[in-house]
Amino acid sequence: MLKLQGATKFEGTDLESVLEIAKTNFNASCIDEISYKIIQEPSKGFLGIGKKPLIIEAYPNEKYLINRVKNFLKNILSYFEEDVDININYHNKNLKVFLEGENLGKVIGKQGRNLGALQHLTMIYVNRMTDTKCDVKLDVGDYRKNRKKNLELIADNAAKKAIMTNDKVELAPMFSFERKIIHKYINYNYPRLRTVSMGLEPYRKVVIYPSKNGHN
């Protein structure tokens, strides 16, 4: 179970009222966004002596995260003036966002720059809410699938050039997820070559070295 914040204790006379207190405290939109466990059952005591309140330990859950991310993206995407359907899945510290709609070229941007920037912003937003790091991926239709094929073609051509010239080949700056595709493709298909990421974001790029100049 994902914990967005450290668990907080709440107490009251009954579960319904205590959950309402927790909901207000976390600014949740509904009770379903709160997970909890009962720490202490209420007790009326005897003649008022030994009376105990109900105590729970509660925290925002995955539904809270998904709804917050959806609202975050809706606010940003409203500037593109396009109708966008947002579907979000969360599993095992992986948040996958699928954007669907017509004419979403502006959302993707040239060579996926807008989509990559949007993914980066979403990752920062998500990881500010969580106790553990989450991986965030955004996709528009089949863009990621098609982009992966294009990046593998770029990697293949660059690898062949490094072998032919026996010299390093520098690729254009890319987002982290794009560089990972390049590294994986080269390491699997050209094990004699070496790849390294160089530079600072957002200008970080992959450099491919022939084996005799291999860098780690």
Side-chain angles (χ1 to χ4, degrees):
M1 181 69 74
L2 175 70
K3 289 188 178 182
L4 301 185
Q5 303 175 20
T8 303
K9 291 182 179 180
F10 302 92
E11 63 177 66
T13 57
D14 60 85
L15 183 58
E16 183 178 354
S17 63
V18 175
L19 286 175
E20 281 296 329
I21 294 172
K23 172 188 165 186
T24 300
N25 181 82
F26 293 123
N27 195 29
S29 59
C30 62
I31 297 298
D32 287 343
E33 292 184 353
I34 304 296
S35 292
Y36 70 93
K37 64 179 179 179
I38 297 176
I39 303 299
Q40 176 179 281
E41 294 284 357
S43 174
K44 294 181 179 180
F46 180 71
L47 299 178
I49 300 174
K51 183 178 181 180
K52 295 180 180 179
L54 171 71
I55 300 177
I56 68 170
E57 197 172 67
Y59 54 86
N61 57 30
E62 290 94 334
K63 289 183 179 179
Y64 178 95
L65 173 66
I66 289 173
N67 289 336
R68 285 294 178 279
V69 171
K70 187 171 289 188
N71 288 333
F72 174 76
L73 289 171
K74 280 182 178 179
N75 288 334
I76 296 177
L77 292 170
S78 66
Y79 291 97
F80 289 94
E81 299 181 346
E82 299 289 351
D83 291 330
V84 183
D85 291 327
I86 304 172
N87 296 296
I88 302 176
N89 294 326
Y90 175 84
H91 177 68
N92 195 26
K93 300 179 183 178
N94 289 286
L95 189 78
K96 295 184 178 180
V97 181
F98 301 93
L99 307 179
E100 298 288 344
E102 300 292 334
N103 304 316
L104 297 184
K106 291 181 180 179
V107 176
I108 296 172
K110 185 178 180 181
Q111 295 184 338
R113 293 301 172 191
N114 290 346
L115 184 62
L118 187 58
Q119 176 175 288
H120 184 67
L121 288 173
T122 305
M123 183 175 293
I124 292 174
Y125 179 76
V126 167
N127 284 299
R128 283 181 176 177
M129 288 193 290
T130 60
D131 290 339
T132 56
K133 185 177 180 180
C134 291
D135 185 41
V136 177
K137 291 184 178 179
L138 267 71
D139 200 0
V140 176
D142 291 328
Y143 175 78
R144 294 287 190 194
K145 181 179 179 180
N146 295 332
R147 178 61 174 162
K148 181 174 182 290
K149 291 181 180 179
N150 187 42
L151 288 170
E152 288 176 343
L153 179 60
I154 291 173
D156 195 71
N157 289 335
K160 290 175 179 177
K161 182 177 180 180
I163 294 171
M164 182 176 65
T165 62
N166 197 35
D167 196 6
K168 69 178 182 181
V169 176
E170 296 184 4
L171 301 182
M174 298 178 182
F175 288 105
S176 176
F177 75 90
E178 295 176 319
R179 296 196 304 270
K180 287 179 181 178
I181 293 173
I182 298 292
H183 287 301
K184 184 177 180 180
Y185 183 87
I186 297 295
N187 292 335
Y188 181 81
N189 293 283
Y190 296 92
R192 294 181 61 186
L193 301 181
R194 295 292 180 268
T195 61
V196 60
S197 289
M198 300 183 66
L200 300 175
E201 302 289 4
Y203 306 107
R204 197 162 172 78
K205 59 188 176 182
V206 175
V207 180
I208 303 171
Y209 291 91
S211 57
K212 74 173 186 178
N213 295 324
H215 287 203
N216 294 322

